[in-house]
Protein backbone atom coordinates (compact mmCIF):
# COMPACT_ATOMS: atom_id res chain seq x y z
CA UNK A 1 0.00 0.00 0.00
CA UNK A 2 1.10 3.57 0.76
CA UNK A 3 3.72 2.41 3.23
CA UNK A 4 5.33 0.11 0.67
CA UNK A 5 5.23 2.84 -1.97
CA UNK A 6 6.88 5.29 0.38
CA UNK A 7 9.65 2.82 1.18
CA UNK A 8 10.24 2.42 -2.53
CA UNK A 9 10.52 6.09 -3.39
CA UNK A 10 12.38 7.35 -0.33
CA UNK A 11 14.99 4.65 0.18
CA UNK A 12 18.61 5.42 -0.65
CA UNK A 13 19.18 1.66 -0.88
CA UNK A 14 18.40 -0.53 -3.87
CA UNK A 15 14.78 -1.66 -3.63
CA UNK A 16 12.73 -3.84 -5.99
CA UNK A 17 9.50 -5.81 -6.10
CA UNK A 18 9.49 -9.21 -7.78
CA UNK A 19 6.67 -11.55 -8.78
CA UNK A 20 6.49 -14.73 -6.76
CA UNK A 21 5.42 -16.93 -9.69
CA UNK A 22 8.39 -16.39 -11.98
CA UNK A 23 10.65 -14.01 -10.07
CA UNK A 24 10.43 -11.20 -12.64
CA UNK A 25 10.83 -7.53 -11.71
CA UNK A 26 7.52 -5.75 -11.06
CA UNK A 27 8.98 -2.43 -9.90
CA UNK A 28 12.30 -0.80 -8.98
CA UNK A 29 13.11 2.38 -7.08
CA UNK A 30 15.24 5.32 -8.32
CA UNK A 31 18.25 4.09 -6.30
CA UNK A 32 18.21 0.86 -8.32
CA UNK A 33 18.91 2.86 -11.46
CA UNK A 34 21.28 5.33 -9.80
CA UNK A 35 23.47 2.70 -8.10
CA UNK A 36 23.30 -0.26 -10.48
CA UNK A 37 22.88 1.65 -13.73
CA UNK A 38 19.90 -0.30 -15.14
CA UNK A 39 17.03 1.71 -16.59
CA UNK A 40 13.47 0.62 -15.72
CA UNK A 41 12.74 -0.40 -19.32
CA UNK A 42 15.76 -2.74 -19.23
CA UNK A 43 14.58 -4.44 -16.06
CA UNK A 44 10.80 -4.52 -15.66
CA UNK A 45 9.29 -7.81 -16.73
CA UNK A 46 12.70 -9.48 -16.81
CA UNK A 47 14.13 -12.18 -14.53
CA UNK A 48 17.42 -11.13 -12.81
CA UNK A 49 19.26 -13.92 -14.61
CA UNK A 50 18.23 -12.45 -17.99
CA UNK A 51 19.96 -9.13 -17.31
CA UNK A 52 22.98 -10.80 -15.70
CA UNK A 53 22.34 -9.30 -12.26
CA UNK A 54 23.76 -12.30 -10.40
CA UNK A 55 27.44 -13.12 -11.11
CA UNK A 56 26.86 -16.25 -9.00
CA UNK A 57 24.06 -18.45 -10.32
CA UNK A 58 23.52 -19.87 -6.81
CA UNK A 59 22.26 -16.47 -5.57
CA UNK A 60 18.77 -16.98 -6.97
CA UNK A 61 18.49 -20.37 -5.31
CA UNK A 62 19.78 -19.02 -1.98
CA UNK A 63 17.08 -16.35 -1.96
CA UNK A 64 14.28 -18.85 -2.50
CA UNK A 65 15.77 -21.30 -0.01
CA UNK A 66 15.58 -18.57 2.63
CA UNK A 67 12.01 -17.70 1.70
CA UNK A 68 11.10 -21.38 1.93
CA UNK A 69 12.62 -21.80 5.39
CA UNK A 70 11.68 -18.53 7.08
CA UNK A 71 9.33 -16.73 4.64
CA UNK A 72 12.00 -14.03 4.47
CA UNK A 73 15.71 -13.45 3.90
CA UNK A 74 17.73 -11.36 6.35
CA UNK A 75 21.03 -9.82 5.29
CA UNK A 76 22.10 -12.45 2.80
CA UNK A 77 25.55 -11.48 1.53
CA UNK A 78 25.35 -11.18 -2.27
CA UNK A 79 27.35 -10.05 -5.29
CA UNK A 80 25.58 -7.86 -7.85
CA UNK A 81 26.69 -7.06 -11.40
CA UNK A 82 26.08 -3.45 -12.47
CA UNK A 83 25.09 -2.40 -15.98
CA UNK A 84 28.72 -1.34 -16.59
CA UNK A 85 29.90 -4.84 -15.47
CA UNK A 86 31.35 -3.68 -12.14
CA UNK A 87 30.74 -6.11 -9.27
CA UNK A 88 29.32 -4.76 -6.00
CA UNK A 89 28.88 -6.66 -2.74
CA UNK A 90 26.17 -5.98 -0.20
CA UNK A 91 23.42 -7.47 1.95
CA UNK A 92 19.97 -8.54 0.71
CA UNK A 93 16.85 -8.68 2.83
CA UNK A 94 13.48 -9.68 1.40
CA UNK A 95 10.05 -10.87 2.46
CA UNK A 96 6.79 -12.00 0.92
CA UNK A 97 4.19 -9.21 0.71
CA UNK A 98 0.67 -8.85 -0.65
CA UNK A 99 0.62 -7.19 -4.06
CA UNK A 100 -2.70 -6.58 -5.80
CA UNK A 101 -4.63 -9.83 -5.59
CA UNK A 102 -1.54 -12.00 -5.20
CA UNK A 103 1.86 -12.22 -3.58
CA UNK A 104 5.22 -10.65 -4.40
CA UNK A 105 8.71 -10.48 -2.92
CA UNK A 106 9.90 -7.14 -1.54
CA UNK A 107 13.72 -6.89 -1.78
CA UNK A 108 16.09 -4.43 -0.13
CA UNK A 109 19.84 -4.37 -0.88
CA UNK A 110 22.01 -2.37 1.53
CA UNK A 111 25.65 -1.45 2.11
CA UNK A 112 26.69 -1.98 -1.50
CA UNK A 113 30.37 -1.40 -2.16
CA UNK A 114 33.02 -2.28 -4.72
CA UNK A 115 34.25 -5.85 -4.54
CA UNK A 116 37.87 -6.42 -3.56
CA UNK A 117 40.00 -9.55 -3.18
CA UNK A 118 39.08 -9.97 0.49
CA UNK A 119 35.34 -9.88 -0.22
CA UNK A 120 35.34 -12.44 -3.03
CA UNK A 121 33.42 -15.62 -2.13
CA UNK A 122 35.24 -18.83 -1.27
CA UNK A 123 34.13 -22.18 -2.59
CA UNK A 124 31.61 -24.00 -0.42
CA UNK A 125 32.98 -27.19 1.14
CA UNK A 126 30.05 -28.48 3.24
CA UNK A 127 29.17 -32.16 2.84
CA UNK A 128 25.61 -31.54 1.66
CA UNK A 129 26.77 -29.30 -1.15
CA UNK A 130 29.47 -31.80 -2.13
CA UNK A 131 26.83 -34.54 -2.29
CA UNK A 132 24.58 -32.27 -4.38
CA UNK A 133 27.40 -31.64 -6.85
CA UNK A 134 28.44 -35.29 -7.07
CA UNK A 135 24.96 -36.84 -7.31
CA UNK A 136 24.39 -39.09 -10.34
CA UNK A 137 20.74 -38.04 -10.70
CA UNK A 138 19.70 -34.60 -11.82
CA UNK A 139 18.50 -32.38 -8.97
CA UNK A 140 16.57 -29.17 -9.61
CA UNK A 141 14.51 -26.42 -8.04
CA UNK A 142 12.14 -24.21 -10.05
CA UNK A 143 9.52 -21.54 -9.55
CA UNK A 144 5.90 -22.69 -10.04
CA UNK A 145 5.18 -20.43 -13.01
CA UNK A 146 8.59 -20.10 -14.54
CA UNK A 147 12.04 -21.60 -14.91
CA UNK A 148 14.82 -23.16 -12.91
CA UNK A 149 16.49 -21.41 -10.00
CA UNK A 150 18.98 -24.19 -9.26
CA UNK A 151 20.28 -27.31 -11.03
CA UNK A 152 23.20 -29.60 -10.21
CA UNK A 153 25.92 -30.71 -12.69
CA UNK A 154 24.18 -34.06 -13.36
CA UNK A 155 21.00 -32.23 -14.39
CA UNK A 156 22.95 -30.14 -16.88
CA UNK A 157 24.71 -33.22 -18.29
CA UNK A 158 21.45 -35.16 -18.71
CA UNK A 159 20.02 -32.40 -20.88
CA UNK A 160 23.18 -31.65 -22.82
CA UNK A 161 24.20 -28.32 -21.29
CA UNK A 162 27.85 -27.41 -20.79
CA UNK A 163 27.29 -26.30 -17.21
CA UNK A 164 24.55 -25.65 -14.63
CA UNK A 165 25.02 -21.93 -15.27
CA UNK A 166 24.27 -22.32 -18.98
CA UNK A 167 21.12 -24.30 -18.21
CA UNK A 168 19.92 -21.78 -15.63
CA UNK A 169 20.49 -18.90 -18.04
CA UNK A 170 18.66 -20.51 -20.97
CA UNK A 171 15.78 -21.94 -18.90
CA UNK A 172 15.32 -19.22 -16.29
CA UNK A 173 11.80 -18.52 -17.61
CA UNK A 174 10.40 -21.78 -18.97
CA UNK A 175 11.44 -25.08 -17.41
CA UNK A 176 8.60 -26.82 -19.32
CA UNK A 177 10.64 -26.55 -22.53
CA UNK A 178 12.41 -29.72 -21.43
CA UNK A 179 9.36 -31.88 -22.09
CA UNK A 180 8.96 -33.24 -25.62
CA UNK A 181 5.17 -33.02 -25.41
CA UNK A 182 3.99 -29.58 -24.15
CA UNK A 183 0.55 -31.01 -23.29
CA UNK A 184 2.10 -33.73 -21.15
CA UNK A 185 4.40 -31.18 -19.54
CA UNK A 186 1.43 -28.97 -18.63
CA UNK A 187 -0.44 -31.99 -17.26
CA UNK A 188 2.55 -32.94 -15.12
CA UNK A 189 2.76 -29.40 -13.75
CA UNK A 190 -0.96 -29.36 -12.85
CA UNK A 191 -0.71 -32.75 -11.15
CA UNK A 192 2.28 -31.61 -9.12
CA UNK A 193 0.56 -28.42 -7.98
CA UNK A 194 -2.74 -30.18 -7.17
CA UNK A 195 -1.36 -33.31 -5.49
CA UNK A 196 1.84 -31.86 -4.12
CA UNK A 197 4.00 -34.76 -5.29
CA UNK A 198 4.74 -37.03 -8.26
CA UNK A 199 6.72 -40.27 -8.18
CA UNK A 200 8.54 -42.09 -10.98
CA UNK A 201 6.74 -40.10 -13.68
CA UNK A 202 8.06 -41.40 -17.01
CA UNK A 203 7.96 -39.20 -20.09
CA UNK A 204 9.92 -38.07 -23.14
CA UNK A 205 12.12 -35.00 -22.86
CA UNK A 206 14.36 -32.91 -25.11
CA UNK A 207 18.06 -32.26 -24.76
CA UNK A 208 19.58 -28.90 -25.69
CA UNK A 209 20.44 -30.18 -29.19
CA UNK A 210 16.83 -31.29 -29.75
CA UNK A 211 17.44 -35.03 -29.40
CA UNK A 212 14.83 -37.02 -27.48
CA UNK A 213 15.45 -38.89 -24.22
CA UNK A 214 13.29 -40.72 -21.68
CA UNK A 215 13.32 -39.56 -18.07
CA UNK A 216 11.88 -40.70 -14.74
CA UNK A 217 11.00 -37.81 -12.42
CA UNK A 218 10.23 -37.47 -8.72
CA UNK A 219 9.14 -34.04 -7.51
CA UNK A 220 7.24 -32.18 -4.84
CA UNK A 221 5.69 -28.75 -4.40
CA UNK A 222 6.93 -26.63 -1.48
CA UNK A 223 4.15 -24.45 -0.03
CA UNK A 224 3.66 -21.90 2.73
CA UNK A 225 1.10 -22.12 5.58
CA UNK A 226 -1.64 -20.79 3.31
CA UNK A 227 -1.01 -23.44 0.67
CA UNK A 228 0.63 -21.09 -1.84
CA UNK A 229 3.28 -22.89 -3.89
CA UNK A 230 6.68 -21.26 -3.34
CA UNK A 231 8.65 -23.49 -5.67
CA UNK A 232 9.05 -27.03 -7.02
CA UNK A 233 11.97 -29.35 -6.42
CA UNK A 234 12.79 -32.80 -7.67
CA UNK A 235 15.15 -35.34 -9.18
CA UNK A 236 15.43 -36.67 -12.73
CA UNK A 237 17.06 -39.87 -14.01
CA UNK A 238 17.84 -40.57 -17.67
CA UNK A 239 16.23 -43.96 -18.42
CA UNK A 240 16.64 -43.85 -22.21
CA UNK A 241 18.81 -46.98 -22.32
CA UNK A 242 16.30 -48.94 -20.22
CA UNK A 243 13.30 -47.85 -22.28
CA UNK A 244 15.08 -48.64 -25.56
CA UNK A 245 16.11 -52.08 -24.23
CA UNK A 246 12.54 -52.83 -23.16
CA UNK A 247 11.22 -51.74 -26.56
CA UNK A 248 13.82 -53.88 -28.36
CA UNK A 249 12.76 -56.87 -26.24
CA UNK A 250 9.09 -56.30 -27.05
CA UNK A 251 9.86 -56.09 -30.76
CA UNK A 252 11.99 -59.23 -30.56
CA UNK A 253 9.24 -61.13 -28.76
CA UNK A 254 6.64 -59.94 -31.27
CA UNK A 255 8.84 -61.01 -34.19
CA UNK A 256 9.51 -64.39 -32.58
CA UNK A 257 5.78 -64.90 -32.05
CA UNK A 258 5.03 -64.13 -35.71
CA UNK A 259 7.72 -66.54 -36.86
CA UNK A 260 6.50 -69.33 -34.57
CA UNK A 261 2.83 -68.82 -35.41
CA UNK A 262 3.57 -68.97 -39.15
CA UNK A 263 6.19 -71.70 -39.08
CA UNK A 264 5.49 -74.90 -41.01
CA UNK A 265 7.35 -76.80 -38.32
CA UNK A 266 5.55 -77.88 -35.19
CA UNK A 267 6.64 -75.84 -32.17
CA UNK A 268 5.61 -76.48 -28.58
CA UNK A 269 6.62 -75.62 -25.04
CA UNK A 270 6.40 -77.90 -22.03
CA UNK A 271 6.65 -76.66 -18.45
CA UNK A 272 6.52 -79.04 -15.49
CA UNK A 273 5.28 -81.84 -17.69
CA UNK A 274 2.43 -79.87 -19.25
CA UNK A 275 2.13 -78.45 -22.75
CA UNK A 276 1.69 -74.71 -22.26
CA UNK A 277 2.11 -73.65 -25.89
CA UNK A 278 1.67 -75.18 -29.32
CA UNK A 279 1.66 -73.44 -32.68
CA UNK A 280 -0.94 -74.08 -35.42
CA UNK A 281 1.48 -76.24 -37.40
CA UNK A 282 1.84 -78.67 -34.49
CA UNK A 283 -1.91 -78.83 -34.02
CA UNK A 284 -2.36 -79.61 -37.71
CA UNK A 285 0.36 -82.27 -37.65
CA UNK A 286 -1.24 -84.03 -34.69
CA UNK A 287 -4.77 -83.63 -35.99
Amino acid sequence: GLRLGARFAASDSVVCLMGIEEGAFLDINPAFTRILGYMPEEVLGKVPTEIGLWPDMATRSSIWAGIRADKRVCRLRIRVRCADQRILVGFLSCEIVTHGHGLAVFCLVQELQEEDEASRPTERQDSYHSLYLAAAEGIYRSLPGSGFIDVNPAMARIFGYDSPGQMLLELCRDAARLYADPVQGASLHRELIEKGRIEEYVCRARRRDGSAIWISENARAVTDEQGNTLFLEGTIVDITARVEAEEALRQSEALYKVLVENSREGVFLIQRGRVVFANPALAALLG
Side-chain angles (χ1 to χ4, degrees):
L2 293 175
R3 182 183 175 189
L4 184 60
R7 290 168 69 184
F8 250 88
S11 178
D12 290 328
S13 300
V14 170
V15 181
C16 65
L17 193 66
M18 306 176 71
I20 201 167
E21 283 293 317
E22 60 179 18
F25 289 105
L26 301 177
D27 200 1
I28 62 174
N29 73 333
F32 193 107
T33 297
R34 185 177 68 254
I35 296 174
L36 301 183
Y38 297 99
M39 301 301 293
E41 57 269 21
E42 297 177 288
V43 171
L44 299 183
K46 298 287 185 64
V47 173
T49 308
E50 291 178 314
I51 65 171
L53 188 65
W54 308 131
D56 308 313
M57 284 294 181
T59 300
R60 194 180 187 203
S61 178
S62 298
I63 294 170
W64 287 97
I67 290 174
R68 170 194 174 185
D70 305 312
K71 308 303 179 290
R72 67 184 65 209
V73 172
C74 296
R75 292 184 63 80
L76 173 68
R77 191 173 182 280
I78 61 169
R79 302 169 71 230
V80 182
R81 180 182 287 114
C82 300
D84 61 7
Q85 302 304 305
R86 288 180 301 117
I87 303 297
L88 303 181
V89 295
F91 296 92
L92 169 72
S93 298
C94 57
E95 61 182 291
I96 297 176
V97 298
T98 301
H99 179 67
H101 299 291
L103 299 175
V105 180
F106 178 84
C107 303
L108 173 69
V109 185
Q110 298 172 299
E111 302 175 36
L112 282 169
Q113 58 184 345
E114 295 280 349
E115 181 181 57
D116 55 31
E117 289 292 334
S119 64
R120 287 184 181 172
T122 57
E123 186 177 354
R124 294 169 61 184
Q125 298 294 336
D126 58 276
S127 58
Y128 173 80
H129 190 65
S130 298
L131 180 64
Y132 172 82
L133 294 176
E137 67 269 21
I139 303 174
Y140 72 85
R141 181 174 291 164
S142 66
L143 295 182
S146 182
F148 293 111
I149 55 176
D150 199 11
V151 298
N152 72 336
M155 183 78 171
R157 287 195 300 270
I158 287 171
F159 290 96
Y161 289 85
D162 294 336
S163 66
Q166 184 187 54
M167 188 173 187
L168 290 172
L169 181 60
E170 295 189 15
L171 297 176
C172 64
R173 273 195 176 274
D174 188 10
R177 282 169 46 195
L178 292 181
Y179 300 101
D181 182 354
V183 175
Q184 187 178 27
S187 175
L188 170 63
H189 185 268
R190 284 195 304 271
E191 181 177 347
L192 183 53
I193 296 296
E194 292 170 4
K195 298 182 178 179
R197 182 180 296 272
I198 59 168
E199 295 182 355
E200 297 183 359
Y201 191 99
V202 175
C203 65
R204 280 167 52 106
R206 295 284 180 190
R207 287 167 55 87
R208 186 170 185 255
D209 62 7
S211 59
I213 59 173
W214 285 92
I215 60 172
S216 176
E217 182 172 359
N218 294 293
R220 67 181 186 127
V222 179
T223 61
D224 60 17
E225 289 88 348
Q226 288 72 44
N228 300 302
T229 301
L230 298 178
F231 51 85
L232 313 174
E233 59 186 14
T235 61
I236 286 178
V237 177
D238 183 351
I239 60 168
T240 305
R242 189 188 84 191
V243 171
E244 290 178 347
E246 290 172 350
E247 178 60 25
L249 180 60
R250 282 193 296 269
Q251 291 180 1
S252 177
E253 290 175 343
L255 178 59
Y256 179 76
K257 183 177 180 180
V258 170
L259 292 174
V260 169
E261 292 286 348
N262 293 278
S263 174
R264 294 183 180 180
E265 304 292 333
V267 179
F268 65 95
L269 177 63
I270 295 178
Q271 289 182 346
R272 297 179 181 178
R274 292 178 178 272
V275 176
V276 295
F277 172 80
N279 71 338
L282 182 65
L285 288 171
L286 300 179

